[in-house]
Amino acid sequence: MSAKQTIAIIGATGNMGAAIARSLSKGKNRLLLFSHNQDKSQQLAHDIKNSHTSADVESIECKVNASWEADIIILAVPYGAEKEIAAQIRDVANQKIVISIANPLNETYKKMVTPTDTSAAEELQKLLPNSKVVKAFNTIFAADFANPVIDGKQVDSFIAGNDAEAVDTVTELVKTAGFNAIVAGELPASRTLEHMMLLLIQLTMKHNYNWLAGWKILHN
């Protein structure tokens, strides 16, 4: 990305939100951090500035204002929270990139709560019809952001979206975060990507990967 862009991270103090914020602060973009816990988001902004003195990051008290100021909005929230947030930011997210990281898993991590013919990202696109929804960051654990190279291999992070320019922009963000970016296809590919995370969680619980694991496509 050539021009500096403003990125709002909604849910910035959750495990994934904080990991994304810390990783993207290494880039040249401006970060707006929103959390219902203002003390935690202010502390996160402070910690990021201490780690990266050139980081342009601030805590912001209103998700609507954050989304209004942003070029890119990252919903670092559970699937169940997306509908309410989408209703709140719909008008200010017009024509903007909105990144869906959610995986619509049930409480036991055994299946999806969405029907087989859709995905969290596609449902979000319906809720935000004038936004450019892109699926990203959903196939990786929060711990992977601090360790994007596992066993000597850079973790792959998959992206899906209908708008080619938006996908290109998000691809650069994924690279900034330290991952190998792979474009999987248009938004319906999110169905596969969300099931990939379901499988990775199940494998991690079964084989005790200690929540530090990722996907890697091997090819010649």
Side-chain angles (χ1 to χ4, degrees), residues 82-84 86-87 90 122-129:
E82 287 193 337
K83 188 172 183 179
E84 181 183 356
R90 179 171 170 168
E122 290 169 279
E123 293 304 298
L124 183 61
Q125 183 68 82
K126 291 175 190 173
L127 296 169
L128 298 172

Side-chain angles (χ1 to χ4, degrees), residues 109-167:
Y109 304 118
K110 290 184 177 176
K111 64 179 183 178
M112 296 292 187
V113 298
T114 44
T116 56
D117 62 347
T118 189
S119 63
E122 290 169 279
E123 293 304 298
L124 183 61
Q125 183 68 82
K126 291 175 190 173
L127 296 169
L128 298 172
N130 298 318
S131 300
K132 303 167 187 175
V133 172
V134 177
K135 192 78 194 178
F137 298 122
N138 80 293
T139 57
I140 44 186
F141 291 130
D144 296 338
F145 285 83
N147 300 277
V149 176
I150 301 174
D151 190 30
K153 301 173 186 67
Q154 187 183 28
V155 174
D156 291 339
S157 183
F158 300 87
I159 303 154
N162 295 336
D163 184 283
E165 191 175 339
V167 167

Side-chain angles (χ1 to χ4, degrees), residues 47-92:
D47 292 347
I48 288 173
K49 287 176 183 174
N50 277 349
S51 300
H52 304 286
T53 53
S54 62
D56 187 353
V57 56
E58 63 183 286
S59 171
I60 193 163
E61 294 183 6
C62 174
K63 68 172 79 73
V64 178
N65 287 346
S67 300
W68 181 79
E69 285 193 48
D71 303 296
I72 301 166
I73 303 161
I74 301 177
L75 297 190
V77 298
Y79 172 65
E82 287 193 337
K83 188 172 183 179
E84 181 183 356
I85 293 172
Q88 293 168 337
I89 69 169
R90 179 171 170 168
D91 292 341
V92 295

Side-chain angles (χ1 to χ4, degrees), residues 152-194:
K153 301 173 186 67
Q154 187 183 28
V155 174
D156 291 339
S157 183
F158 300 87
I159 303 154
N162 295 336
D163 184 283
E165 191 175 339
V167 167
D168 287 346
T169 297
V170 175
T171 296
E172 291 304 313
L173 289 185
V174 168
K175 291 177 180 176
T176 297
F179 299 99
N180 180 50
I182 297 180
V183 177
E186 295 191 341
L187 211 54
S190 301
R191 302 170 198 177
T192 300
L193 300 185
E194 291 168 12

Side-chain angles (χ1 to χ4, degrees), residues 8-31:
I9 302 176
I10 311 299
T13 58
N15 287 342
M16 283 294 290
I20 290 169
R22 291 180 190 280
S23 290
L24 294 186
S25 69
K26 296 177 288 188
K28 294 182 170 61
N29 296 300
R30 176 181 178 228
L31 302 183

